[in-house]
Amino acid sequence: MTNLFMRLSGTGRRLMIHYDRACIRCLGEYIRTSEITPTIGSGSTPSEADSFNKSLHLKNKRRRNVGVSSGGREAGNDILFGIHPCLVALRQKRRNIYRAYLKHDLGDRKELTEILESLNKCDIPHTNREKWGLDKLSLNRPHQGVCMEVSRLNFARIPWGEDHQQLQVSGTGRPSLWLLLDDIQDPMHFGAILRISYFLGVDRIIATPRCSPLTPVVSKSSSGAMEALDVYQLSRPVPYLEALSETGWQLVGTCCSDDELNSDRVIDCRNFELDKPTVLIVGNEGMGVKDDILQLCHVKLTIQPDDRCVIDSLSVSVATGILIHSMLGRER
């Protein structure tokens, strides 16, 4: 508690006010809008009172700007959680890893043993925590007894002036398959798509600006695939897609199953053959692929349901997995 003596102008009477730190800003606003002048002692001038107010404001501002968040991590860092995200992050070494928090009785899973060995080998400090402490760090998401404080992972930038013709063939000799995610905002779906794409061998993943950021939730949903992938971000997809089309790339959109089949642009995904470098474009569950992007597509793929099906769609992550597998499955 702090004692502040205040003198009412023109009366000479003194008023002692006791207040705590949380009231400093409110009291300062009251002082500035009234005739009350704070004094540090007798004979203080208005300029001295202003200086005193300013020092209080700066002191309180410094208290607010300390670099520790409410979750127990330093501001600007992430808390990665889950066995596979943490393990892949340790293997790939794409993040700075500052410290780890482990449950007391981790068990004898080989992944947990590798995590502990990697932490010791890299001299990364680690401490044991109770389950409730790990729950707090992971914001009550499933952490499997492992959390790590790490630097943030950002989107990769598409190299300026890259030769699109040189990228038309993948490392396995087949035509390249890229995936463009158009405003996939749900981090769970975003992570699931990264997991599927990495598992099946998509050559490049590009996200538009309104896609989910690369958060720990995305990493957990991807089972750590996000830690091993370069996910590119594209601020203006239309000019980029136009440039790809001009150099021989095929742009393939996606649409609902009730769109007209066997038209000049809509075909069943089972009848599509990956015979040239292709960009598969997937939109979010609410709006689908945006019209300005869809107009650039050479064909649109759809997934046909069973005749007895009473639902009209799949989740975007499941649909993307089916489409990728139908396009790459023949190459395996």
Side-chain angles (χ1 to χ4, degrees):
M1 306 295 288
T2 306
N3 295 331
L4 177 66
F5 291 94
M6 308 188 71
R7 184 175 59 201
L8 298 176
S9 301
T11 65
R13 293 188 302 173
R14 295 182 180 274
L15 175 65
M16 177 180 290
I17 299 178
H18 299 278
Y19 64 97
D20 58 23
R21 294 174 180 174
C23 297
I24 289 177
R25 285 182 292 175
C26 295
L27 183 60
E29 182 65 21
Y30 175 64
I31 290 170
R32 286 193 295 272
T33 57
S34 66
E35 295 183 353
I36 298 178
T37 304
T39 65
I40 304 173
S42 59
S44 297
T45 64
S47 61
E48 291 173 335
D50 290 341
S51 299
F52 180 66
N53 271 339
K54 185 176 181 180
S55 67
L56 287 177
H57 174 73
L58 292 175
K59 187 175 182 181
N60 194 40
K61 184 177 180 180
R62 284 195 295 270
R63 288 195 188 104
R64 295 196 305 271
N65 289 341
V66 293
V68 179
S69 72
S70 60
R73 59 176 170 82
E74 292 188 6
N77 294 339
D78 279 336
I79 294 294
L80 202 62
F81 55 89
I83 292 174
H84 287 100
C86 293
L87 179 58
V88 179
L90 286 165
R91 288 174 177 172
Q92 296 296 317
K93 297 181 173 61
R94 301 176 66 207
R95 298 182 188 254
N96 295 324
I97 301 174
Y98 302 111
R99 59 189 60 83
Y101 306 94
L102 309 174
K103 191 179 176 183
H104 284 286
D105 50 341
L106 272 178
D108 56 357
R109 286 183 58 174
K110 62 178 182 179
E111 296 91 348
L112 295 170
T113 302
E114 183 179 346
I115 287 175
L116 192 57
E117 290 176 351
S118 297
L119 292 173
N120 292 328
K121 182 178 179 181
C122 299
D123 293 325
I124 299 171
H126 51 89
T127 58
N128 290 333
R129 288 283 181 94
E130 297 293 339
K131 181 180 181 301
W132 64 266
L134 296 173
D135 290 342
K136 183 178 179 181
L137 286 169
S138 67
L139 301 179
N140 292 313
R141 295 187 179 274
H143 49 72
Q144 300 172 291
V146 182
C147 293
M148 294 195 315
E149 182 179 349
V150 297
S151 60
R152 287 182 178 167
L153 202 60
N154 297 315
F155 289 101
R157 292 181 178 272
I158 294 178
W160 175 259
E162 65 180 2
D163 190 344
H164 296 151
Q165 290 183 331
Q166 291 185 352
L167 300 171
Q168 291 183 353
V169 179
S170 72
T172 61
R174 61 162 171 78
S176 293
L177 176 62
W178 291 3
L179 179 64
L180 176 67
L181 304 178
D182 185 21
D183 296 356
I184 307 296
Q185 300 174 6
D186 188 309
M188 301 296 289
H189 286 309
F190 193 81
I193 291 172
L194 296 185
R195 181 177 185 176
I196 293 165
S197 302
Y198 182 63
F199 185 82
L200 293 177
V202 171
D203 299 294
R204 176 179 287 189
I205 302 173
I206 305 172
T208 57
R210 293 188 63 190
C211 283
S212 167
L214 301 179
T215 64
V217 175
V218 175
S219 185
K220 183 65 171 70
S221 181
S222 74
S223 193
M226 189 187 89
E227 307 300 319
L229 280 172
D230 281 328
V231 183
Y232 295 86
Q233 190 173 63
L234 192 62
S235 59
R236 299 177 60 208
V238 170
Y240 186 77
L241 292 174
E242 289 175 338
L244 286 174
S245 180
E246 291 173 359
T247 55
W249 286 72
Q250 181 176 218
L251 307 182
V252 177
T254 52
C255 60
C256 296
S257 59
D258 56 358
D259 285 2
E260 183 180 355
L261 275 176
N262 301 319
S263 69
D264 57 343
R265 296 182 63 195
V266 180
I267 62 174
D268 191 319
C269 66
R270 293 171 293 186
N271 299 325
F272 179 84
E273 184 174 354
L274 185 67
D275 56 1
K276 62 178 67 175
T278 298
V279 181
L280 175 64
I281 305 168
V282 178
N284 64 38
E285 292 185 337
M287 303 299 295
V289 181
K290 290 195 289 290
D291 289 340
D292 58 344
I293 295 178
L294 206 57
Q295 290 174 358
L296 300 176
C297 294
H298 301 103
V299 295
K300 294 186 290 184
L301 298 185
T302 184
I303 302 171
Q304 288 300 299
D306 185 83
D307 294 337
R308 298 164 294 178
C309 182
V310 295
I311 60 174
D312 60 355
S313 64
L314 297 168
S315 70
V316 63
S317 55
V318 170
T320 302
I322 293 173
L323 292 171
I324 294 173
H325 188 267
S326 71
M327 298 170 80
L328 295 179
R330 299 176 185 179
E331 304 294 330
R332 295 180 179 274

